[in-house]
Structure formats: structure tokens, C-alpha cells
Amino acid sequence: MTRLCLAVPCFNEVDRLDVKSFVRFLELEPEVSFIFVDDGSTDATRSILHEIERNVPDRVDVIGLARNGGKAAAVWTGVNAALAAQFEYVGYWDADLATPLTAIPEFAGVLEADATLEMVFGARVKLLGRVIERRRVRHYLGRVAATLVAASLRLAIYDSQCGAKLFRASALTRELFAGPFLSRWLFDVEILARLVRLHRLGRARPPAELIYELPLTEWTDKPGSKLRIGDFARAALDLIRIRYTYGGPVFGA
């Protein structure tokens, strides 16, 4: 039985899905499985996903949603399907492979090396010797968003929004993914807000003791992102909604 399963949210990904990379990786890593969630695509995305499934049928599942519900809904659906299948580790990964699949064993290695950790988050830190390619405008908008998130949650997290995350399939993770997310895009923040609330209620250790941010060796900003400039404004409103729903501090208040 494979030990690790990643949900891959997909929406109109015909020009970005790399079938060969997914199949090759699965051939090299027998302990990894994928659940692809087609979020109501209107192009041939689902056909491409079934092509991957035909190549590695024992370790690939495809879930098709009837209509587009947003990345949050796709991730929530895929991770819960993985949790139901009793894997040791579950998580999610961007379909465009901005974070290469070869990073997955390193994520798993962090959890294997430290049993006190519950989750590993990729962090896009541009350091010497690492290849982090991100458009300048999106980089600066992302840093502003990350600062607001850290201040809102009072949690010194550098990169809450990276689409590469791995969790131990524990009771805590099941609780974090128990209910659908409020926001279509800020579900990563919502996961953290749920964790902060559980700690405040005495049902989880401090988030800083449970999360490991792993600086990525490689990350490439791929063309065709569904995120638009206007979404950043909507995300700011979602951040306030998350604060009032989960009862945490906002902007250091």
C-alpha cells in the first residue's frame, strides 16, 4: 500500500498538465499516489487526467466535480478522499508543477524525521543556489498578502499560500479538513486559522510547534494562472471573514 497521497486540483489545465512528468514520477516513487480533482473544467482536462489514470491505475484516482467550485473546494474534496483511504501522509500539490514533483520525498522526509511535526509547507524563498522564478508584481503582492496573514493570525509564517503542502494523516488533520472552506482562494489561511482556534481551545499544540516551512529548491511561476489582480482585493475581504468566523486577532489587534 502506498503511504502518501496528494490531491491535485485542476481547472481547465489542458495547456499545463504534464502527463509524462506525473507518470514518470509515479514509476520512480511507488509509495506515492495522486487524486486529481477536476473542478468542473470546460476543456479536455478530464480526458487528460483519465490518461494519467490509465497509465498508473492502481495509484491514480480522478474525481470529477459537476461544476466549478473554486480551488478550495477541489482541495477539500481531494484531501478528504485521501484521508478516507487511510494513507499515512496526505496533502495537495499544484497541477502546473510550479513546485517539481521531485520535492515530494523531501517533504515526506521532514515528517518522518520528526514525529512532533504535523505538517510541512513549501516556502518560496529566493536564496542563492535556489531557483525561485516569480513575476515581480505577483511576488510583491504575495509578500504584502503574506505579511497581512502573519499579522492577522499572529503567526510568524513566511509563505502561507504556496501550493505544495503535506500533512500527517492524523486526527488533527482530519479536524482541519472537516468542513468546507469559506474562501475560494484563502483556504490555506483558513487551515491555519482553524489550527490557531484549536490551540486557543486547548485542543492542539502551538502552531509553531506543528508546522515546518521547507524552503523550496525550485519553484517556477507558470503561465496560465487562474488568479487575477482583482482576486487579491477579494482575498483581503475573505481574510476579514476568516478572522470573524474563527474568532482570532486581525492585523495585530
Side-chain angles (χ1 to χ4, degrees):
M1 179 180 176
T2 54
R3 302 175 59 204
L4 185 158
C5 185
L6 292 169
V8 182
C10 304
F11 176 66
N12 290 352
E13 303 287 357
V14 162
D15 295 326
R16 305 204 303 169
L17 273 170
D18 187 342
V19 174
K20 290 182 179 179
S21 289
F22 278 106
V23 172
R24 189 183 312 118
F25 178 78
L26 286 165
E27 290 172 347
L28 295 173
E29 296 291 341
E31 293 193 330
V32 178
S33 292
F34 290 104
I35 295 176
F36 293 92
V37 182
D38 177 24
D39 187 22
S41 294
T42 57
D43 62 7
T45 292
R46 197 168 304 187
S47 296
I48 296 175
L49 296 179
H50 284 304
E51 180 183 344
I52 301 174
E53 185 180 33
R54 283 193 296 272
N55 277 276
V56 197
D58 56 329
R59 288 187 288 129
V60 172
D61 284 312
V62 176
I63 298 175
L65 301 183
R67 60 184 181 84
N68 178 246
K71 186 176 181 181
V75 166
W76 183 83
T77 299
V79 170
N80 274 287
L83 287 169
Q86 302 298 312
F87 289 95
E88 187 173 351
Y89 306 120
V90 300
Y92 50 94
W93 214 261
D94 282 342
D96 62 3
L97 302 185
T99 306
L101 295 170
T102 51
I104 294 172
E106 187 178 4
F107 277 61
V110 172
L111 292 178
E112 289 170 353
D114 190 344
T116 67
L117 293 172
E118 288 283 338
M119 53 203 80
V120 182
F121 292 0
R124 297 162 290 187
V125 187
K126 192 173 180 63
L127 302 171
L128 293 178
R130 298 173 186 268
V131 181
I132 306 296
E133 298 178 357
R134 197 174 189 186
R135 282 170 286 172
R136 185 168 297 181
V137 171
R138 290 196 65 183
H139 168 73
Y140 289 127
L141 286 172
R143 293 314 311 145
V144 170
T147 301
L148 290 174
V149 168
S152 176
L153 298 175
R154 291 184 178 174
L155 181 64
I157 187 164
Y158 178 82
D159 188 357
S160 60
Q161 299 309 108
C162 181
K165 291 183 171 65
L166 188 66
F167 302 77
R168 204 177 294 280
S170 62
L172 175 61
T173 297
R174 294 174 191 280
E175 191 158 6
L176 294 177
F177 285 88
F181 298 116
L182 298 173
S183 171
R184 288 173 65 96
W185 293 108
L186 283 190
F187 61 92
D188 304 87
V189 177
E190 205 166 335
I191 291 169
L192 292 170
R194 291 176 180 186
L195 181 60
V196 169
R197 181 177 65 175
L198 289 173
H199 169 59
R200 196 167 58 245
L201 295 173
R203 292 162 54 190
R205 288 185 290 121
E209 297 179 8
L210 301 173
I211 302 169
Y212 184 91
E213 284 198 278
L214 179 65
L216 298 174
T217 302
E218 182 180 349
W219 190 91
T220 306
D221 197 350
K222 300 292 181 73
S225 171
K226 310 303 185 300
L227 193 62
R228 299 292 179 261
I229 296 298
D231 291 322
F232 286 92
R234 285 185 285 273
L237 295 176
D238 280 350
L239 183 58
I240 295 173
R241 283 182 68 206
I242 289 169
R243 173 262 185 269
Y244 281 106
T245 298
Y246 296 102
V250 62
F251 308 138

